[in-house]
């Protein structure tokens, strides 16, 4: 893996719910970082970010995780929730994402939705050659920026998102962010003047019928 892919894979693992085996992953994760990141400054930042999480007692870390990612809308870990909120159109967006995930050779596990951001980070790390997976990168960058900007300053998860935005993703433009916020506002209206569907790249469509896509092999 190159540094970008390594960071996506590491962040994907660290953003999973801290299960009973979480602390046992420490040696494996630190070894992966030391062997996979050449830049000593970046390697030190990533090691410190991971150690700050491993240092928290498991029960406290689980409570922190739930409070941070499950109870707060602006720091949630579901891509289409950032883009569409509770809109009825989220279902169509999830189906399209599920098609991308399956076409890229991944399978959804543990009952997660197809827009689960840690899973999409891993998908991007391993299948950046896939045209529709590459198209997700800007969407993930905008959502990651939103999460970073809304995490508490003292959150041990914030440094992971800071590193993502400085070393992995290009900082989204104001227009990119505006488009995300605009889609949320439109999607939250009770009645829409026209149906909004999402293409593989996340762009809004006003077609009256479902779009037809040819999946890439």
């Amino acid at each position: 893996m190159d540094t970008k892919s390594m960071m996506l894979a590491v962040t994907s693992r660290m953003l999973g719910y801290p299960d009973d085996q979480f602390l046992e992953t420490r040696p494996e994760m630190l070894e992966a970082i030391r062997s996979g990141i050449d830049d000593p400054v970046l390697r030190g930042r990533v090691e410190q970010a991971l150690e700050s999480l491993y240092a928290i007692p498991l029960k406290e870390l689980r409570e922190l995780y739930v409070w941070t990612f499950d109870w707060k809308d602006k720091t949630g870990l579901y891509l289409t929730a950032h883009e569409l909120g509770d809109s009825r159109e989220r279902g169509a967006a999830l189906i399209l994402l599920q098609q991308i995930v399956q076409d890229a050779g991944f399978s959804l596990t543990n009952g997660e939705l197809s827009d689960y951001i840690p899973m999409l980070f891993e998908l991007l790390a391993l299948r950046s050659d896939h045209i529709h997976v590459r198209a997700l990168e800007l969407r993930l960058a905008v959502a990651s920026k939103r999460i970073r900007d809304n995490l508490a300053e003292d959150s041990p998860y914030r440094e992971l998102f800071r590193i993502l935005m400085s070393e992995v993703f290009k900082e989204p433009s104001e227009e990119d962010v505006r488009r995300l916020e605009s889609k949320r506002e439109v999607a939250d209206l009770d009645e829409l003047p026209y149906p909004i569907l999402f293409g593989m790249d996340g762009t809004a469509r006003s077609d009256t019928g479902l779009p037809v896509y040819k999946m890439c092999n």
Side-chain angles (χ1 to χ4, degrees):
M1 285 188 179
D2 58 18
T3 298
K4 177 177 176 178
S5 296
M6 175 62 69
M7 277 305 311
L8 285 166
V10 167
T11 305
S12 172
R13 292 287 298 274
M14 297 306 292
L15 290 180
Y17 180 76
D19 58 18
D20 292 340
Q21 288 74 47
F22 176 75
L23 295 178
E24 298 174 10
T25 66
R26 180 178 176 274
E28 174 191 356
M29 296 295 288
L30 293 176
E31 175 58 29
I33 291 167
R34 289 163 185 162
S35 62
I37 300 179
D38 295 330
D39 183 346
V41 176
L42 176 59
R43 186 167 61 245
R45 286 183 66 192
V46 179
E47 286 182 359
Q48 185 174 2
L50 267 60
E51 291 287 23
S52 67
L53 290 169
Y54 285 121
I56 302 173
L58 190 56
K59 182 176 183 296
E60 294 180 22
L61 184 61
R62 285 171 171 167
E63 292 172 354
L64 174 66
Y65 183 95
V66 171
W67 174 255
T68 301
F69 298 121
D70 293 346
W71 290 1
K72 296 186 178 180
D73 174 67
K74 293 181 179 180
T75 56
L77 293 178
Y78 294 92
L79 179 61
T80 62
H82 287 278
E83 296 173 332
L84 294 167
D86 293 327
S87 166
R88 71 192 71 175
E89 305 301 334
R90 190 179 172 198
L94 285 169
I95 291 173
L96 290 173
L97 274 174
Q98 184 173 348
Q99 290 177 335
I100 295 174
V101 171
Q102 292 176 343
D103 188 61
F106 271 52
S107 59
L108 301 176
T109 58
N110 300 324
E112 285 294 354
L113 296 175
S114 59
D115 66 339
Y116 183 52
I117 289 176
M119 184 270 294
L120 294 177
F121 283 164
E122 183 178 358
L123 180 63
L124 184 58
L126 298 178
R127 288 304 314 270
S128 61
D129 60 317
H130 190 289
I131 184 171
H132 295 316
V133 173
R134 285 202 309 272
L136 289 173
E137 187 163 347
L138 177 59
R139 295 170 65 184
L140 288 169
V142 176
S144 296
K145 172 180 168 61
R146 188 171 191 248
I147 295 170
R148 179 201 65 188
D149 292 348
N150 285 283
L151 283 172
E153 282 288 345
D154 61 350
S155 171
Y157 286 102
R158 189 169 189 185
E159 181 63 9
L160 285 174
F161 282 94
R162 282 175 172 158
I163 296 172
L164 279 180
M165 296 311 301
S166 65
E167 305 296 332
V168 175
F169 297 125
K170 294 173 63 176
E171 188 79 14
S173 67
E174 292 183 4
E175 175 64 15
D176 293 328
V177 176
R178 186 198 66 77
R179 285 178 60 209
L180 179 141
E181 293 176 346
S182 173
K183 286 185 286 189
R184 282 181 56 83
E185 292 170 0
V186 170
D188 287 340
L189 295 176
D190 290 336
E191 296 294 335
L192 297 176
Y194 49 84
I196 294 180
L197 299 175
F198 277 76
M200 293 296 193
D201 60 352
T203 57
R205 296 170 55 91
S206 58
D207 309 56
T208 56
L210 284 172
V212 177
Y213 295 102
K214 180 179 179 182
M215 301 306 293
C216 298
N217 293 321

